[in-house]
Amino acid sequence: MIDLVLRYRLFVLFLLALVISFGIYSYKTLPIDTFPDPTPVQVNIYTEAPGLSAEEVESLITKKIETVMSGIKDVSTVRSVSLPGLSYISVFFKDGTDIYFARRLVMEKLSDAKSQIPSQYNPVMGPNSSGLGNVLIYALTSKDRPLTDLRTIQEWKIKPLIKSVDGVEEISQWGPEKAFLVKIYPEKLLAYGLSFNDVSDAVEKYGIVVPGGFSKTSQGDLIVRAVNYITSIEDIKNIPVKTENGSYIKLSDVADVEEGEVPNRRGALTLNGEEVQGNIVLKRVNVNTKDLVDRLYKQFEEIKKILPKDVDIKILYDQSYLTQKAVSTVEKALIEGIVLVFIAMIFYLGNVRSAILVVLSIPITLLMAFIFMKEVGLSGNLMSLSGLAIGIGLFADATVVVVENIFRHMFHGKEASKLEVIRNSVKEVFKPVVFAILIITAVFIPIFSFESVEGKYYKPLALTIIFALISSLIVAFIFMPALSYYFLNKPKSEETKIMEVLNEVYHKILNKALKHGKVVLTFVVVVFLFSVWLFTRIGTEFAPTLNEGSVLVKSFLNPNVSLEEAKKVASIVEQTAKEFPEVENAFSNIGRAEKGEPEEVNYIETFIILKPYKDWKNFKKREEFENILREKLKDVPGVSFGFTQPIQMRIDELLSGVKSTVAIKVFGDDLDKVNQIGHKIEEIVKSTKGAVDVETEAQSGKLQLKITPKQEVLAKYNIKPEELLSIVGRYFAGYEANYLKQGLITFPIVLRLPQDTINSIEKLSQIPITTKDGYLLTLSEAADIEITEGFFKIRHENGLRCALVQSNLEGRDLGGFIQELKQKIEKEVKLPQGYFIQFSGQFENQERAMKKLSIIIPIVILLIFMLLYLNYNSFKDALIVILNIPFATIGGIVSLYLSGFNLSVPAAIGFIAVFGIATLNGVVLISYIKQLITEGKNIEDAINLATKLRLRPILITATAASLGLLPILFSGDIGSETQKPIAFVVIGGIFTSTMLTLLILPVVYRMFNNR
């Protein structure tokens, strides 16, 4: 192959130009996302059930639907929440299930579910969006217009245009919907001898359109239609309810008619303390976030042209900000790493041309990796691009060895021609370099066995590293020989003065190590055992928290608060946050939107958008800001708070059903008992070091106005129960009887009782009911009216009721926290028969990932050993090289301990990378020692010459790998948190691995081979 490359070297350069061009194109067109979407395949089912309590929703709707859904193929989990008036069910499928296939299965089963629940309730599938689908939030504001007008503009003008953007699945809309309210006065109905049904019948039958077919006239073929639209509020007022003796009773005689909003709204969006018309754009599954947001911004520019002058549209939040910051963090690390590697090459080689070739190999390798990523459909995200940033030094290793060997052979110049020098130099290192790079590639393969979240996060990272390593081999053995021919000349000296000094110092130390081999080896074993002990002192977690540049404050209020009271609390949180100069903006979601989450108005999410860290004055970290804000809000009466970040919360919720880092679920049949156990566990969690924002989810304590028909009274007066119940169902909640038409827009006409009547139990009790026989009863005579306490929210998981205790963590590792908590709960909480506790949240991910790693890491070491055995065909030589692996972990463990980071999945991947790097250097050195022995040198001379000639490439590869990671260590930018554990482990591991390769491997090799 090398002969062909050098023979057709001009063609190779042409091929290189094509690769660079295609690589640039692939980079420019690569889909960009924040990070891989870790959310599971899920389908949500909503069922609106106005007027039903949580218990009734659970028994009549939720339980029946989730039972049907549990039997669907490949369903892994079914979670549900039953609220007053709403059933929300999430059906989770096994990873790998096609989302459209899953939705089709659910759709097919919905017909079965519908047949089992009351006919008036209609379950529907939620939008085809993932947990990270809330890509953009915007609001409409106006100084003069009411919110209902803004909602109308959003519904009829803006929404169709936004939904026409490719990739938009749905828009969740907040704010009051305009309606025309007919407030019926029962006493006036009584005075005119009318019933509620008389009014509803009159409104329903008025304002209709009747088709009359076609009429053939002299003017032509005409469409016949009778039109009686309701087009104004006066039309509504003048609707005749009853006609007698040539006069009629108008609707305005028995009711007030006014413009208002559709009643029973369960949510609002506030901005800087004031309610606005808010909207959340949901992206379709598998749509690229950045591309979609870019398209949305372009569409907003067009929308602004058609908006009334007094209406403003404000973008409050979009995920592309995080995407851009995270990607720019990686790009910055890549550029800085390349510059540092270039400086190192000059330092070691003393030759600018050789250094340029080595550094040039890195961007060429990256461009080839982008080609692979583009072809397999892998997006450029924080994890996939992190693989490139982390391995930047590794990608130059093959080229370093090749160019350094060519450089050295050119100096000696024994071959007849330059072509011959390059050919022999490349062939000399071809086998060990290829094999070493393949070993590094192989160590990342077991990462593909990761499941769930860790699989979705770290498979892209492993894949990009593998792409780049394979690309680095192509660059080193195809492009570099051709470039070396045209670019390199015979150097004036083989080594720089610095390298000569380093070589001299190194061999003095090596000779002493060889002389006292057993002592040195014993010392290293003792240090290794110390590092193992140190390893047990390191905490554990799933992954470091990604800093999103924003804070989300969760507010938990009493279950019985009103929407207006919730708005006041949201305003307090927003105004308190805005007092800090570090805050850019603050807005809140209260309760739920029309197609929102299963929340009530007692739950508020306040988004606090932070300014860039470079503009901060009072704090250095987000956590400091959170602590101060938490302290300021703690005195707000009747409210408890939790702190997280927008995307982090969504991921936590979708993976475990909770919006916090740690969750303890208590399962059992009796809701009172599971809640009692939950509150007891809450006290235990609060007493455990590291717990913050501890909260037991409110499930009970919701007050209900219960109206129960008196069956004997109804039977006596010939009143059917449904007649009485329909009054409550229709006129308390509000009943859409018709619509008012204004051009293309229609607004509902809602019949209901006056608000002051609904809000007064005394007035409700006196509502008159006229029987068919002319008797007059009050509602309190026909039914028992009482205030009772019921359940506010009922959770199920796989059909079992559960209570929820949630907590965030601060200043402590997750693994140690859970371990202590488990011991405390096991000691202090006695569970009744049939009740059990389950820990959820990030702990589940960590536990699963660590179990997998306990299997993967031994497999990686075994795989390396097998490859080494195949290379050397010697058990002894393979064992010598693989001894470098445990010794190489010393530096990784020590640096991780000193850094303060916990052992996480990224850190574990760092150790896996160290295994490969340690093996590479070992292979380079031992292979050359064996080659020299084969050429006839004795073992002492072979070790001396091999270490002399391989010192520089080993130092260069180690330095390049370390310096490539150095920018990540000192970066404070968004996204660097997830990369730092890998960087610390790899840099520490490279340090000890390099020392041990240069000192311990020669000692061990001589011990094993000295006869």
Side-chain angles (χ1 to χ4, degrees), residues 547-611:
N547 189 353
E548 300 176 24
S550 55
V551 172
L552 190 142
V553 180
K554 299 177 292 182
S555 303
F556 304 93
L557 287 68
N558 184 286
N560 298 301
V561 299
S562 66
L563 179 59
E564 293 305 316
E565 291 171 321
K567 286 182 192 178
K568 292 176 183 177
V569 173
S571 178
I572 291 171
V573 177
E574 291 168 10
Q575 296 301 335
T576 304
K578 289 280 286 182
E579 291 174 5
F580 297 97
E582 289 78 9
V583 173
E584 183 77 38
N585 210 354
F587 63 94
S588 301
N589 295 338
I590 303 170
R592 63 177 182 265
E594 56 182 4
K595 294 181 180 177
E597 299 176 2
E599 300 294 351
E600 268 291 340
V601 295
N602 73 317
Y603 175 73
I604 305 169
E605 291 176 358
T606 302
F607 291 73
I608 301 172
I609 310 301
L610 303 174
K611 293 178 181 177

Side-chain angles (χ1 to χ4, degrees), residues 305-597:
K305 297 176 183 178
I306 65 169
L307 285 179
K309 292 182 179 179
D310 61 339
V311 176
D312 294 323
I313 188 165
K314 295 181 179 179
I315 309 298
L316 305 181
Y317 171 85
D318 76 77
Q319 285 184 10
S320 68
Y321 163 78
L322 181 58
T323 302
Q324 291 164 358
K325 293 297 291 184
V327 171
S328 66
T329 297
V330 177
E331 289 176 343
K332 181 182 175 185
L334 283 170
I335 294 169
E336 291 174 349
I338 290 173
V339 172
L340 290 173
V341 170
F342 176 74
I343 294 170
M345 295 305 103
I346 296 292
F347 178 83
Y348 285 116
L349 294 173
N351 184 285
V352 175
R353 293 193 173 200
S354 300
I356 289 174
L357 277 187
V358 171
V359 172
L360 190 62
S361 71
I362 298 175
I364 296 173
T365 298
L366 296 179
L367 289 174
M368 291 184 69
F370 289 135
I371 293 172
F372 284 121
M373 292 170 66
K374 176 79 173 175
E375 292 306 306
V376 301
L378 187 64
S379 70
N381 54 62
L382 185 60
M383 301 312 297
S384 61
L385 295 179
S386 289
L388 299 180
I390 290 161
I392 188 170
L394 293 177
F395 308 148
D397 283 355
T399 296
V400 163
V401 177
V402 169
V403 171
E404 193 276 340
N405 212 39
I406 293 173
F407 180 84
R408 184 170 56 82
H409 277 275
M410 275 187 171
F411 174 76
H412 291 290
K414 294 178 181 179
E415 287 79 1
S417 66
K418 186 177 183 179
L419 208 62
E420 194 69 20
V421 171
I422 295 173
R423 180 184 293 111
N424 293 337
S425 300
V426 176
K427 285 184 176 179
E428 183 178 273
V429 296
F430 181 80
K431 184 180 176 182
V433 170
V434 169
F435 201 80
I437 295 296
L438 289 179
I439 285 178
I440 296 179
T441 302
V443 300
F444 286 99
I445 292 175
I447 291 175
F448 291 97
S449 66
F450 276 172
E451 302 169 340
S452 189
V453 188
E454 58 274 21
K456 292 172 183 175
Y457 270 163
Y458 299 108
K459 284 178 185 178
L461 182 146
L463 196 57
T464 50
I465 290 177
I466 290 172
F467 286 156
L469 287 170
I470 294 171
S471 300
S472 74
L473 284 178
I474 297 171
V475 171
F477 291 108
I478 294 180
F479 299 133
M480 283 303 139
L483 287 171
S484 297
Y485 179 81
Y486 291 106
F487 205 65
L488 291 185
N489 294 319
K490 183 175 180 178
K492 294 179 181 179
S493 61
E494 181 181 6
E495 289 185 341
T496 62
K497 295 294 183 182
I498 296 173
M499 275 307 305
E500 288 177 1
V501 173
L502 285 175
N503 225 322
E504 185 180 345
V505 172
Y506 162 60
H507 275 87
K508 285 181 181 179
I509 298 171
L510 176 62
N511 290 333
K512 289 184 179 180
L514 289 168
K515 187 176 180 180
H516 306 285
K518 292 182 179 178
V519 175
V520 172
L521 199 58
T522 302
F523 174 75
V524 172
V525 171
V526 171
V527 173
F528 172 69
L529 293 175
F530 170 75
S531 71
V532 172
W533 173 82
L534 204 62
F535 187 74
T536 62
R537 314 296 295 176
I538 298 175
T540 58
E541 64 181 353
F542 174 64
T545 301
L546 172 69
N547 189 353
E548 300 176 24
S550 55
V551 172
L552 190 142
V553 180
K554 299 177 292 182
S555 303
F556 304 93
L557 287 68
N558 184 286
N560 298 301
V561 299
S562 66
L563 179 59
E564 293 305 316
E565 291 171 321
K567 286 182 192 178
K568 292 176 183 177
V569 173
S571 178
I572 291 171
V573 177
E574 291 168 10
Q575 296 301 335
T576 304
K578 289 280 286 182
E579 291 174 5
F580 297 97
E582 289 78 9
V583 173
E584 183 77 38
N585 210 354
F587 63 94
S588 301
N589 295 338
I590 303 170
R592 63 177 182 265
E594 56 182 4
K595 294 181 180 177
E597 299 176 2

Side-chain angles (χ1 to χ4, degrees), residues 734-952:
Y735 163 54
E736 293 187 13
N738 210 320
Y739 63 88
L740 183 147
K741 188 174 185 296
Q742 291 181 351
L744 294 176
I745 305 175
T746 59
F747 301 101
I749 298 172
V750 179
L751 309 184
R752 70 186 314 232
L753 291 168
Q755 193 64 49
D756 61 338
T757 301
I758 295 172
N759 293 343
S760 169
I761 297 177
E762 184 178 345
K763 289 184 178 181
L764 285 175
S765 302
Q766 298 304 313
I767 290 177
I769 298 171
T770 305
T771 69
K772 295 176 182 177
D773 300 326
Y775 292 103
L776 180 65
L777 299 175
T778 61
L779 182 61
S780 60
E781 291 174 329
D784 291 321
I785 303 174
E786 58 180 335
I787 295 177
T788 62
E789 186 176 297
F791 285 93
F792 166 68
K793 177 184 287 188
I794 303 174
R795 283 187 180 270
H796 285 190
E797 188 161 320
N798 289 329
L800 300 176
R801 285 174 161 181
C802 66
L804 179 64
V805 182
Q806 48 194 344
S807 169
N808 290 323
L809 202 58
E810 189 175 273
R812 187 171 181 185
D813 72 291
L814 180 61
F817 177 78
I818 295 293
Q819 187 177 3
E820 180 183 344
L821 200 54
K822 280 185 173 181
Q823 292 173 352
K824 283 185 173 182
I825 291 174
E826 188 175 344
K827 182 179 178 181
E828 300 179 32
V829 179
K830 303 301 179 186
L831 296 175
Q833 184 70 28
Y835 290 69
F836 65 95
I837 291 172
Q838 184 182 89
F839 285 81
S840 297
Q842 287 192 21
F843 171 72
E844 281 182 304
N845 306 325
Q846 178 208 332
E847 192 174 44
R848 183 179 56 251
M850 291 305 173
K851 283 181 180 178
K852 183 68 71 173
L853 284 168
S854 67
I855 300 170
I856 286 175
I857 289 177
I859 290 174
V860 167
I861 296 173
L862 180 62
L863 180 62
I864 293 173
F865 181 80
M866 291 171 61
L867 290 171
L868 289 171
Y869 181 77
L870 290 173
N871 183 46
Y872 294 125
N873 196 26
S874 166
F875 181 87
K876 179 174 61 178
D877 290 342
L879 186 61
I880 291 171
V881 175
I882 210 166
L883 278 176
N884 207 21
I885 289 179
F887 294 150
T889 60
I890 294 172
I893 293 171
V894 172
S895 63
L896 187 64
Y897 179 81
L898 294 176
S899 72
F901 280 98
N902 295 313
L903 176 64
S904 58
V905 176
I909 291 174
F911 281 110
I912 291 173
V914 167
F915 296 166
I917 296 167
T919 305
L920 181 146
N921 288 334
V923 167
V924 169
L925 183 60
I926 297 301
S927 294
Y928 197 52
I929 293 174
K930 285 175 66 66
Q931 178 185 329
L932 294 173
I933 292 173
T934 304
E935 292 174 359
K937 288 185 168 49
N938 63 48
I939 190 168
E940 301 291 343
D941 292 339
I943 289 174
N944 186 59
L945 184 57
T947 51
K948 181 178 184 299
L949 297 180
R950 289 294 176 256
L951 174 63
R952 183 165 60 187

Side-chain angles (χ1 to χ4, degrees), residues 659-700:
K659 299 178 179 180
S660 59
T661 305
V662 178
I664 303 103
K665 297 175 183 175
V666 184
F667 291 87
D669 293 330
D670 190 315
L671 284 173
D672 290 319
K673 282 186 179 179
V674 295
N675 277 279
Q676 287 172 9
I677 297 169
H679 285 293
K680 190 171 184 179
I681 291 173
E682 178 187 355
E683 296 305 314
I684 296 173
V685 176
K686 284 180 177 177
S687 67
T688 305
K689 181 185 175 183
V692 293
D693 308 330
V694 183
E695 178 74 21
T696 298
E697 183 179 65
Q699 289 196 333
S700 58

